[in-house]
Amino acid sequence: MKRLSLAILFLAACGGSSPSPTQRTTVAVAQAGDLRVELLTESRLEVGMTPLYVKVATAAGTAVTDAAITVAPMMTMADGKQHAAPVIVSSEPWDGSLYGCAVVLSMPSSAMDSWSLKVTVQRPSAAPVDALFQNLTVADTGRAKSFVSTDGAAEKYLVSLNFAAAPTVGVNPVVVTLHKMADMMTFVPVDDAAIALDPQMPSMSHGSSGSVNPTLTSLGRYSGKLSFNMPGDWQTKITVTRAGQTLGAVTIATSF
C-alpha cells in the first residue's frame, strides 16, 4: 500500500517550498462559481492522515495561483448525525497550481456512511466560492482511533498512526497525530502531550525493541520511529499522557 509522503506534508503545513514530483490521482472534479476545482491524492482516500491536493483553474484553463484554499470534510452517518475531521491546510500553491493539505479521516465510508468535502476558494477582491465533493470513497486502514480520557474530564481524543513508507522490518519513521474533540465539528490539535509506542506481536508473544517515542513537531503532529523485528501482524499500543497523567491509549494494527 502506498503511504503518504510525510516530509512533503510537513512543508504543506508551513507553506514551504514545492515538494519533489509525486504521482497523484484525481479523486473528483467540481465547479466553484466559474472555477474548475480538481481534488487529487497520492493513491486513495483512507482512514488516517491522508494527503490531498487541490488544483484550481479558470474556465479558460488557466491555473489559479493567487487563492486561499479552505477544506472542510464532513461525515454523514446512517442515523443522520454528522461530524467533521481534523484538517491541516496551506494557502500556498505548489508546482505553480497545486494547493497541499491533509485530512485525518476517522472512519471509512460505506453504503450508509458518506464522506463529503467542501473546498472554499477565496481570491483577492472576489467573493469566496465553494466546490462540493460528495459521496467520496474512503478505505478502512484502521490507522485512526478515538478514546475518552480517564482523567475525570471524559474528553474525547482522536489519534492516528501514519507511516512515511510501507512498513517493513527495521525502524520505520512515523507520525502520530493527536486532536481533542471540542465537539463533533471542532478538532483542536494537542501540542503538550507525551506519546509512547509499544509494538507487540500477539501471535508470537513478544514485542520489538528500538522504537523512538514521537515528539512534537507542530499542529498536533508528533514524529518518531516504530521498530518491527520481523514481518507479520503487529499491534501497536499508543499511550497518551498530559501533565504527567495518562489520558488513555489506543491500539492500531499493522500487517506486512
Side-chain angles (χ1 to χ4, degrees), residues 129-166:
V129 290
D130 296 329
L132 184 61
F133 301 91
Q134 295 180 303
N135 298 316
L136 297 173
T137 299
V138 175
D140 190 7
T141 64
R143 291 192 291 109
K145 291 188 176 181
S146 62
F147 69 87
V148 176
S149 65
T150 57
D151 60 351
E155 295 175 311
K156 192 171 184 179
Y157 290 82
L158 177 66
V159 180
S160 75
L161 174 64
N162 309 278
F163 291 82

PDB file of all heavy atoms in Angstrom, residues 129-166:
ATOM      1  N   VAL A 129     -16.026  31.253  -3.230  1.00  0.00           N
ATOM      2  CA  VAL A 129     -16.906  30.308  -3.907  1.00  0.00           C
ATOM      3  C   VAL A 129     -16.571  28.904  -3.408  1.00  0.00           C
ATOM      4  O   VAL A 129     -15.436  28.618  -3.022  1.00  0.00           O
ATOM      5  CB  VAL A 129     -16.767  30.381  -5.445  1.00  0.00           C
ATOM      6  CG1 VAL A 129     -17.350  31.680  -5.972  1.00  0.00           C
ATOM      7  CG2 VAL A 129     -15.300  30.253  -5.873  1.00  0.00           C
ATOM      8  N   ASP A 130     -17.574  28.025  -3.416  1.00  0.00           N
ATOM      9  CA  ASP A 130     -17.423  26.683  -2.874  1.00  0.00           C
ATOM     10  C   ASP A 130     -17.564  25.617  -3.954  1.00  0.00           C
ATOM     11  O   ASP A 130     -18.398  25.723  -4.854  1.00  0.00           O
ATOM     12  CB  ASP A 130     -18.487  26.400  -1.806  1.00  0.00           C
ATOM     13  CG  ASP A 130     -18.354  27.311  -0.593  1.00  0.00           C
ATOM     14  OD1 ASP A 130     -17.218  27.708  -0.289  1.00  0.00           O
ATOM     15  OD2 ASP A 130     -19.394  27.602   0.036  1.00  0.00           O
ATOM     16  N   ALA A 131     -16.730  24.578  -3.843  1.00  0.00           N
ATOM     17  CA  ALA A 131     -16.880  23.365  -4.646  1.00  0.00           C
ATOM     18  C   ALA A 131     -17.191  22.229  -3.678  1.00  0.00           C
ATOM     19  O   ALA A 131     -16.516  22.060  -2.660  1.00  0.00           O
ATOM     20  CB  ALA A 131     -15.607  23.061  -5.424  1.00  0.00           C
ATOM     21  N   LEU A 132     -18.210  21.445  -3.972  1.00  0.00           N
ATOM     22  CA  LEU A 132     -18.638  20.371  -3.088  1.00  0.00           C
ATOM     23  C   LEU A 132     -18.388  19.018  -3.746  1.00  0.00           C
ATOM     24  O   LEU A 132     -18.862  18.749  -4.851  1.00  0.00           O
ATOM     25  CB  LEU A 132     -20.122  20.518  -2.746  1.00  0.00           C
ATOM     26  CG  LEU A 132     -20.672  19.502  -1.742  1.00  0.00           C
ATOM     27  CD1 LEU A 132     -19.953  19.619  -0.402  1.00  0.00           C
ATOM     28  CD2 LEU A 132     -22.174  19.689  -1.560  1.00  0.00           C
ATOM     29  N   PHE A 133     -17.620  18.184  -3.037  1.00  0.00           N
ATOM     30  CA  PHE A 133     -17.346  16.824  -3.490  1.00  0.00           C
ATOM     31  C   PHE A 133     -18.123  15.869  -2.583  1.00  0.00           C
ATOM     32  O   PHE A 133     -17.859  15.802  -1.382  1.00  0.00           O
ATOM     33  CB  PHE A 133     -15.849  16.530  -3.421  1.00  0.00           C
ATOM     34  CG  PHE A 133     -15.009  17.459  -4.256  1.00  0.00           C
ATOM     35  CD1 PHE A 133     -14.497  18.635  -3.719  1.00  0.00           C
ATOM     36  CD2 PHE A 133     -14.734  17.161  -5.577  1.00  0.00           C
ATOM     37  CE1 PHE A 133     -13.729  19.491  -4.480  1.00  0.00           C
ATOM     38  CE2 PHE A 133     -13.955  18.009  -6.358  1.00  0.00           C
ATOM     39  CZ  PHE A 133     -13.455  19.180  -5.801  1.00  0.00           C
ATOM     40  N   GLN A 134     -19.053  15.125  -3.150  1.00  0.00           N
ATOM     41  CA  GLN A 134     -19.933  14.274  -2.359  1.00  0.00           C
ATOM     42  C   GLN A 134     -19.652  12.797  -2.597  1.00  0.00           C
ATOM     43  O   GLN A 134     -19.059  12.404  -3.610  1.00  0.00           O
ATOM     44  CB  GLN A 134     -21.391  14.589  -2.686  1.00  0.00           C
ATOM     45  CG  GLN A 134     -21.815  16.005  -2.291  1.00  0.00           C
ATOM     46  CD  GLN A 134     -23.255  16.294  -2.631  1.00  0.00           C
ATOM     47  OE1 GLN A 134     -23.675  16.179  -3.781  1.00  0.00           O
ATOM     48  NE2 GLN A 134     -24.030  16.664  -1.612  1.00  0.00           N
ATOM     49  N   ASN A 135     -20.094  11.976  -1.627  1.00  0.00           N
ATOM     50  CA  ASN A 135     -20.006  10.516  -1.732  1.00  0.00           C
ATOM     51  C   ASN A 135     -18.587  10.048  -2.063  1.00  0.00           C
ATOM     52  O   ASN A 135     -18.371   9.243  -2.983  1.00  0.00           O
ATOM     53  CB  ASN A 135     -20.995   9.993  -2.768  1.00  0.00           C
ATOM     54  CG  ASN A 135     -22.428  10.293  -2.391  1.00  0.00           C
ATOM     55  OD1 ASN A 135     -22.826  10.126  -1.242  1.00  0.00           O
ATOM     56  ND2 ASN A 135     -23.215  10.753  -3.358  1.00  0.00           N
ATOM     57  N   LEU A 136     -17.611  10.548  -1.298  1.00  0.00           N
ATOM     58  CA  LEU A 136     -16.221  10.160  -1.508  1.00  0.00           C
ATOM     59  C   LEU A 136     -15.960   8.781  -0.905  1.00  0.00           C
ATOM     60  O   LEU A 136     -16.455   8.454   0.175  1.00  0.00           O
ATOM     61  CB  LEU A 136     -15.291  11.191  -0.872  1.00  0.00           C
ATOM     62  CG  LEU A 136     -15.365  12.605  -1.461  1.00  0.00           C
ATOM     63  CD1 LEU A 136     -14.527  13.564  -0.623  1.00  0.00           C
ATOM     64  CD2 LEU A 136     -14.909  12.613  -2.920  1.00  0.00           C
ATOM     65  N   THR A 137     -15.173   7.979  -1.597  1.00  0.00           N
ATOM     66  CA  THR A 137     -14.817   6.656  -1.105  1.00  0.00           C
ATOM     67  C   THR A 137     -13.586   6.744  -0.216  1.00  0.00           C
ATOM     68  O   THR A 137     -12.526   7.207  -0.651  1.00  0.00           O
ATOM     69  CB  THR A 137     -14.547   5.696  -2.274  1.00  0.00           C
ATOM     70  OG1 THR A 137     -15.726   5.569  -3.067  1.00  0.00           O
ATOM     71  CG2 THR A 137     -14.132   4.325  -1.762  1.00  0.00           C
ATOM     72  N   VAL A 138     -13.713   6.308   1.036  1.00  0.00           N
ATOM     73  CA  VAL A 138     -12.608   6.320   2.000  1.00  0.00           C
ATOM     74  C   VAL A 138     -12.375   4.886   2.467  1.00  0.00           C
ATOM     75  O   VAL A 138     -13.262   4.252   3.034  1.00  0.00           O
ATOM     76  CB  VAL A 138     -12.913   7.233   3.199  1.00  0.00           C
ATOM     77  CG1 VAL A 138     -11.818   7.141   4.249  1.00  0.00           C
ATOM     78  CG2 VAL A 138     -13.087   8.679   2.728  1.00  0.00           C
ATOM     79  N   ALA A 139     -11.173   4.365   2.228  1.00  0.00           N
ATOM     80  CA  ALA A 139     -10.841   2.984   2.571  1.00  0.00           C
ATOM     81  C   ALA A 139     -10.523   2.858   4.055  1.00  0.00           C
ATOM     82  O   ALA A 139      -9.986   3.776   4.675  1.00  0.00           O
ATOM     83  CB  ALA A 139      -9.658   2.510   1.736  1.00  0.00           C
ATOM     84  N   ASP A 140     -10.810   1.693   4.602  1.00  0.00           N
ATOM     85  CA  ASP A 140     -10.561   1.437   6.019  1.00  0.00           C
ATOM     86  C   ASP A 140      -9.164   0.852   6.214  1.00  0.00           C
ATOM     87  O   ASP A 140      -8.868  -0.241   5.750  1.00  0.00           O
ATOM     88  CB  ASP A 140     -11.603   0.481   6.578  1.00  0.00           C
ATOM     89  CG  ASP A 140     -11.529   0.364   8.094  1.00  0.00           C
ATOM     90  OD1 ASP A 140     -10.758   1.132   8.698  1.00  0.00           O
ATOM     91  OD2 ASP A 140     -12.246  -0.475   8.657  1.00  0.00           O
ATOM     92  N   THR A 141      -8.294   1.590   6.898  1.00  0.00           N
ATOM     93  CA  THR A 141      -6.954   1.102   7.226  1.00  0.00           C
ATOM     94  C   THR A 141      -6.808   0.807   8.713  1.00  0.00           C
ATOM     95  O   THR A 141      -5.832   0.184   9.119  1.00  0.00           O
ATOM     96  CB  THR A 141      -5.898   2.151   6.854  1.00  0.00           C
ATOM     97  OG1 THR A 141      -6.094   3.318   7.664  1.00  0.00           O
ATOM     98  CG2 THR A 141      -5.980   2.524   5.382  1.00  0.00           C
ATOM     99  N   GLY A 142      -7.744   1.310   9.519  1.00  0.00           N
ATOM    100  CA  GLY A 142      -7.647   1.151  10.967  1.00  0.00           C
ATOM    101  C   GLY A 142      -6.580   2.022  11.596  1.00  0.00           C
ATOM    102  O   GLY A 142      -6.227   1.828  12.760  1.00  0.00           O
ATOM    103  N   ARG A 143      -6.043   3.003  10.855  1.00  0.00           N
ATOM    104  CA  ARG A 143      -4.928   3.817  11.356  1.00  0.00           C
ATOM    105  C   ARG A 143      -5.361   5.000  12.221  1.00  0.00           C
ATOM    106  O   ARG A 143      -4.510   5.764  12.679  1.00  0.00           O
ATOM    107  CB  ARG A 143      -4.075   4.328  10.188  1.00  0.00           C
ATOM    108  CG  ARG A 143      -3.292   3.226   9.487  1.00  0.00           C
ATOM    109  CD  ARG A 143      -2.242   3.789   8.543  1.00  0.00           C
ATOM    110  NE  ARG A 143      -2.811   4.442   7.383  1.00  0.00           N
ATOM    111  CZ  ARG A 143      -2.804   5.739   7.166  1.00  0.00           C
ATOM    112  NH1 ARG A 143      -2.287   6.561   8.062  1.00  0.00           N
ATOM    113  NH2 ARG A 143      -3.332   6.249   6.065  1.00  0.00           N
ATOM    114  N   ALA A 144      -6.660   5.179  12.433  1.00  0.00           N
ATOM    115  CA  ALA A 144      -7.146   6.249  13.310  1.00  0.00           C
ATOM    116  C   ALA A 144      -8.162   5.674  14.288  1.00  0.00           C
ATOM    117  O   ALA A 144      -9.051   4.919  13.885  1.00  0.00           O
ATOM    118  CB  ALA A 144      -7.774   7.374  12.495  1.00  0.00           C
ATOM    119  N   LYS A 145      -7.997   6.042  15.565  1.00  0.00           N
ATOM    120  CA  LYS A 145      -8.927   5.590  16.596  1.00  0.00           C
ATOM    121  C   LYS A 145      -9.114   6.692  17.628  1.00  0.00           C
ATOM    122  O   LYS A 145      -8.259   7.566  17.787  1.00  0.00           O
ATOM    123  CB  LYS A 145      -8.422   4.319  17.268  1.00  0.00           C
ATOM    124  CG  LYS A 145      -8.447   3.094  16.366  1.00  0.00           C
ATOM    125  CD  LYS A 145      -8.128   1.821  17.130  1.00  0.00           C
ATOM    126  CE  LYS A 145      -8.249   0.598  16.240  1.00  0.00           C
ATOM    127  NZ  LYS A 145      -7.965  -0.654  16.978  1.00  0.00           N
ATOM    128  N   SER A 146     -10.224   6.623  18.337  1.00  0.00           N
ATOM    129  CA  SER A 146     -10.516   7.620  19.361  1.00  0.00           C
ATOM    130  C   SER A 146     -10.577   6.957  20.734  1.00  0.00           C
ATOM    131  O   SER A 146     -10.749   5.738  20.852  1.00  0.00           O
ATOM    132  CB  SER A 146     -11.841   8.328  19.063  1.00  0.00           C
ATOM    133  OG  SER A 146     -12.914   7.405  19.071  1.00  0.00           O
ATOM    134  N   PHE A 147     -10.421   7.776  21.767  1.00  0.00           N
ATOM    135  CA  PHE A 147     -10.596   7.299  23.139  1.00  0.00           C
ATOM    136  C   PHE A 147     -11.158   8.428  23.981  1.00  0.00           C
ATOM    137  O   PHE A 147     -11.019   9.608  23.645  1.00  0.00           O
ATOM    138  CB  PHE A 147      -9.272   6.782  23.724  1.00  0.00           C
ATOM    139  CG  PHE A 147      -8.236   7.853  23.991  1.00  0.00           C
ATOM    140  CD1 PHE A 147      -8.208   8.545  25.202  1.00  0.00           C
ATOM    141  CD2 PHE A 147      -7.277   8.152  23.033  1.00  0.00           C
ATOM    142  CE1 PHE A 147      -7.258   9.517  25.451  1.00  0.00           C
ATOM    143  CE2 PHE A 147      -6.314   9.124  23.270  1.00  0.00           C
ATOM    144  CZ  PHE A 147      -6.305   9.818  24.481  1.00  0.00           C
ATOM    145  N   VAL A 148     -11.788   8.070  25.085  1.00  0.00           N
ATOM    146  CA  VAL A 148     -12.301   9.039  26.048  1.00  0.00           C
ATOM    147  C   VAL A 148     -11.341   9.065  27.226  1.00  0.00           C
ATOM    148  O   VAL A 148     -10.999   8.011  27.778  1.00  0.00           O
ATOM    149  CB  VAL A 148     -13.725   8.691  26.501  1.00  0.00           C
ATOM    150  CG1 VAL A 148     -14.202   9.669  27.573  1.00  0.00           C
ATOM    151  CG2 VAL A 148     -14.676   8.696  25.308  1.00  0.00           C
ATOM    152  N   SER A 149     -10.896  10.252  27.617  1.00  0.00           N
ATOM    153  CA  SER A 149      -9.875  10.370  28.652  1.00  0.00           C
ATOM    154  C   SER A 149     -10.384   9.840  29.997  1.00  0.00           C
ATOM    155  O   SER A 149     -11.567   9.919  30.317  1.00  0.00           O
ATOM    156  CB  SER A 149      -9.433  11.825  28.806  1.00  0.00           C
ATOM    157  OG  SER A 149     -10.495  12.633  29.287  1.00  0.00           O
ATOM    158  N   THR A 150      -9.439   9.322  30.766  1.00  0.00           N
ATOM    159  CA  THR A 150      -9.756   8.745  32.076  1.00  0.00           C
ATOM    160  C   THR A 150      -9.319   9.665  33.213  1.00  0.00           C
ATOM    161  O   THR A 150      -9.172   9.221  34.352  1.00  0.00           O
ATOM    162  CB  THR A 150      -9.047   7.388  32.229  1.00  0.00           C
ATOM    163  OG1 THR A 150      -7.625   7.570  32.039  1.00  0.00           O
ATOM    164  CG2 THR A 150      -9.562   6.400  31.197  1.00  0.00           C
ATOM    165  N   ASP A 151      -9.111  10.951  32.917  1.00  0.00           N
ATOM    166  CA  ASP A 151      -8.637  11.900  33.927  1.00  0.00           C
ATOM    167  C   ASP A 151      -9.770  12.592  34.671  1.00  0.00           C
ATOM    168  O   ASP A 151      -9.535  13.534  35.430  1.00  0.00           O
ATOM    169  CB  ASP A 151      -7.740  12.953  33.277  1.00  0.00           C
ATOM    170  CG  ASP A 151      -8.472  13.754  32.201  1.00  0.00           C
ATOM    171  OD1 ASP A 151      -9.608  13.376  31.847  1.00  0.00           O
ATOM    172  OD2 ASP A 151      -7.898  14.734  31.696  1.00  0.00           O
ATOM    173  N   GLY A 152     -10.994  12.162  34.441  1.00  0.00           N
ATOM    174  CA  GLY A 152     -12.148  12.784  35.086  1.00  0.00           C
ATOM    175  C   GLY A 152     -12.870  13.765  34.189  1.00  0.00           C
ATOM    176  O   GLY A 152     -14.052  14.038  34.383  1.00  0.00           O
ATOM    177  N   ALA A 153     -12.162  14.309  33.193  1.00  0.00           N
ATOM    178  CA  ALA A 153     -12.791  15.262  32.273  1.00  0.00           C
ATOM    179  C   ALA A 153     -13.612  14.551  31.208  1.00  0.00           C
ATOM    180  O   ALA A 153     -14.500  15.157  30.596  1.00  0.00           O
ATOM    181  CB  ALA A 153     -11.730  16.136  31.616  1.00  0.00           C
ATOM    182  N   ALA A 154     -13.306  13.281  30.945  1.00  0.00           N
ATOM    183  CA  ALA A 154     -14.030  12.469  29.955  1.00  0.00           C
ATOM    184  C   ALA A 154     -14.084  13.163  28.600  1.00  0.00           C
ATOM    185  O   ALA A 154     -15.120  13.206  27.943  1.00  0.00           O
ATOM    186  CB  ALA A 154     -15.447  12.152  30.452  1.00  0.00           C
ATOM    187  N   GLU A 155     -12.932  13.690  28.183  1.00  0.00           N
ATOM    188  CA  GLU A 155     -12.843  14.344  26.882  1.00  0.00           C
ATOM    189  C   GLU A 155     -12.441  13.332  25.824  1.00  0.00           C
ATOM    190  O   GLU A 155     -11.699  12.387  26.093  1.00  0.00           O
ATOM    191  CB  GLU A 155     -11.837  15.492  26.940  1.00  0.00           C
ATOM    192  CG  GLU A 155     -12.274  16.618  27.863  1.00  0.00           C
ATOM    193  CD  GLU A 155     -11.215  17.692  28.008  1.00  0.00           C
ATOM    194  OE1 GLU A 155     -10.050  17.341  28.269  1.00  0.00           O
ATOM    195  OE2 GLU A 155     -11.549  18.874  27.871  1.00  0.00           O
ATOM    196  N   LYS A 156     -12.917  13.552  24.600  1.00  0.00           N
ATOM    197  CA  LYS A 156     -12.653  12.607  23.517  1.00  0.00           C
ATOM    198  C   LYS A 156     -11.457  13.070  22.690  1.00  0.00           C
ATOM    199  O   LYS A 156     -11.361  14.250  22.326  1.00  0.00           O
ATOM    200  CB  LYS A 156     -13.887  12.452  22.625  1.00  0.00           C
ATOM    201  CG  LYS A 156     -13.798  11.267  21.658  1.00  0.00           C
ATOM    202  CD  LYS A 156     -15.122  11.031  20.959  1.00  0.00           C
ATOM    203  CE  LYS A 156     -15.066   9.790  20.080  1.00  0.00           C
ATOM    204  NZ  LYS A 156     -16.360   9.527  19.413  1.00  0.00           N
ATOM    205  N   TYR A 157     -10.566  12.136  22.385  1.00  0.00           N
ATOM    206  CA  TYR A 157      -9.376  12.418  21.592  1.00  0.00           C
ATOM    207  C   TYR A 157      -9.348  11.507  20.366  1.00  0.00           C
ATOM    208  O   TYR A 157      -9.827  10.363  20.400  1.00  0.00           O
ATOM    209  CB  TYR A 157      -8.110  12.175  22.410  1.00  0.00           C
ATOM    210  CG  TYR A 157      -7.878  13.179  23.517  1.00  0.00           C
ATOM    211  CD1 TYR A 157      -8.529  13.045  24.744  1.00  0.00           C
ATOM    212  CD2 TYR A 157      -7.002  14.248  23.347  1.00  0.00           C
ATOM    213  CE1 TYR A 157      -8.316  13.959  25.765  1.00  0.00           C
ATOM    214  CE2 TYR A 157      -6.780  15.158  24.371  1.00  0.00           C
ATOM    215  CZ  TYR A 157      -7.438  15.016  25.571  1.00  0.00           C
ATOM    216  OH  TYR A 157      -7.228  15.922  26.580  1.00  0.00           O
ATOM    217  N   LEU A 158      -8.760  12.018  19.279  1.00  0.00           N
ATOM    218  CA  LEU A 158      -8.575  11.243  18.057  1.00  0.00           C
ATOM    219  C   LEU A 158      -7.078  11.094  17.804  1.00  0.00           C
ATOM    220  O   LEU A 158      -6.341  12.084  17.790  1.00  0.00           O
ATOM    221  CB  LEU A 158      -9.245  11.932  16.864  1.00  0.00           C
ATOM    222  CG  LEU A 158      -9.068  11.248  15.505  1.00  0.00           C
ATOM    223  CD1 LEU A 158      -9.771   9.888  15.491  1.00  0.00           C
ATOM    224  CD2 LEU A 158      -9.604  12.136  14.380  1.00  0.00           C
ATOM    225  N   VAL A 159      -6.639   9.838  17.602  1.00  0.00           N
ATOM    226  CA  VAL A 159      -5.234   9.521  17.375  1.00  0.00           C
ATOM    227  C   VAL A 159      -5.101   8.830  16.024  1.00  0.00           C
ATOM    228  O   VAL A 159      -5.942   8.000  15.658  1.00  0.00           O
ATOM    229  CB  VAL A 159      -4.693   8.572  18.474  1.00  0.00           C
ATOM    230  CG1 VAL A 159      -3.223   8.239  18.230  1.00  0.00           C
ATOM    231  CG2 VAL A 159      -4.885   9.177  19.851  1.00  0.00           C
ATOM    232  N   SER A 160      -4.048   9.164  15.271  1.00  0.00           N
ATOM    233  CA  SER A 160      -3.763   8.404  14.057  1.00  0.00           C
ATOM    234  C   SER A 160      -2.285   8.054  13.997  1.00  0.00           C
ATOM    235  O   SER A 160      -1.434   8.803  14.492  1.00  0.00           O
ATOM    236  CB  SER A 160      -4.176   9.168  12.795  1.00  0.00           C
ATOM    237  OG  SER A 160      -3.281  10.220  12.498  1.00  0.00           O
ATOM    238  N   LEU A 161      -1.987   6.898  13.406  1.00  0.00           N
ATOM    239  CA  LEU A 161      -0.613   6.425  13.227  1.00  0.00           C
ATOM    240  C   LEU A 161      -0.336   6.367  11.734  1.00  0.00           C
ATOM    241  O   LEU A 161      -1.053   5.701  10.982  1.00  0.00           O
ATOM    242  CB  LEU A 161      -0.454   5.031  13.846  1.00  0.00           C
ATOM    243  CG  LEU A 161       0.898   4.338  13.614  1.00  0.00           C
ATOM    244  CD1 LEU A 161       2.032   5.112  14.277  1.00  0.00           C
ATOM    245  CD2 LEU A 161       0.850   2.904  14.133  1.00  0.00           C
ATOM    246  N   ASN A 162       0.743   7.042  11.304  1.00  0.00           N
ATOM    247  CA  ASN A 162       0.997   7.211   9.874  1.00  0.00           C
ATOM    248  C   ASN A 162       2.455   6.901   9.549  1.00  0.00           C
ATOM    249  O   ASN A 162       3.371   7.417  10.204  1.00  0.00           O
ATOM    250  CB  ASN A 162       0.672   8.645   9.461  1.00  0.00           C
ATOM    251  CG  ASN A 162      -0.703   9.066   9.936  1.00  0.00           C
ATOM    252  OD1 ASN A 162      -1.696   8.760   9.298  1.00  0.00           O
ATOM    253  ND2 ASN A 162      -0.780   9.753  11.074  1.00  0.00           N
ATOM    254  N   PHE A 163       2.664   6.058   8.530  1.00  0.00           N
ATOM    255  CA  PHE A 163       3.996   5.648   8.112  1.00  0.00           C
ATOM    256  C   PHE A 163       4.464   6.486   6.929  1.00  0.00           C
ATOM    257  O   PHE A 163       3.678   6.804   6.031  1.00  0.00           O
ATOM    258  CB  PHE A 163       4.001   4.171   7.720  1.00  0.00           C
ATOM    259  CG  PHE A 163       3.800   3.232   8.882  1.00  0.00           C
ATOM    260  CD1 PHE A 163       2.527   2.967   9.371  1.00  0.00           C
ATOM    261  CD2 PHE A 163       4.887   2.618   9.479  1.00  0.00           C
ATOM    262  CE1 PHE A 163       2.342   2.099  10.436  1.00  0.00           C
ATOM    263  CE2 PHE A 163       4.713   1.744  10.545  1.00  0.00           C
ATOM    264  CZ  PHE A 163       3.442   1.488  11.030  1.00  0.00           C
ATOM    265  N   ALA A 164       5.761   6.806   6.903  1.00  0.00           N
ATOM    266  CA  ALA A 164       6.325   7.561   5.788  1.00  0.00           C
ATOM    267  C   ALA A 164       6.424   6.708   4.529  1.00  0.00           C
ATOM    268  O   ALA A 164       6.448   7.225   3.419  1.00  0.00           O
ATOM    269  CB  ALA A 164       7.705   8.098   6.162  1.00  0.00           C
ATOM    270  N   ALA A 165       6.504   5.388   4.696  1.00  0.00           N
ATOM    271  CA  ALA A 165       6.558   4.444   3.581  1.00  0.00           C
ATOM    272  C   ALA A 165       5.903   3.158   4.049  1.00  0.00           C
ATOM    273  O   ALA A 165       5.528   3.029   5.216  1.00  0.00           O
ATOM    274  CB  ALA A 165       8.003   4.206   3.149  1.00  0.00           C
ATOM    275  N   ALA A 166       5.766   2.194   3.155  1.00  0.00           N
ATOM    276  CA  ALA A 166       5.169   0.919   3.549  1.00  0.00           C
ATOM    277  C   ALA A 166       5.964   0.308   4.694  1.00  0.00           C
ATOM    278  O   ALA A 166       7.194   0.271   4.647  1.00  0.00           O
ATOM    279  CB  ALA A 166       5.143  -0.026   2.356  1.00  0.00           C
TER     280      ALA A 166
END
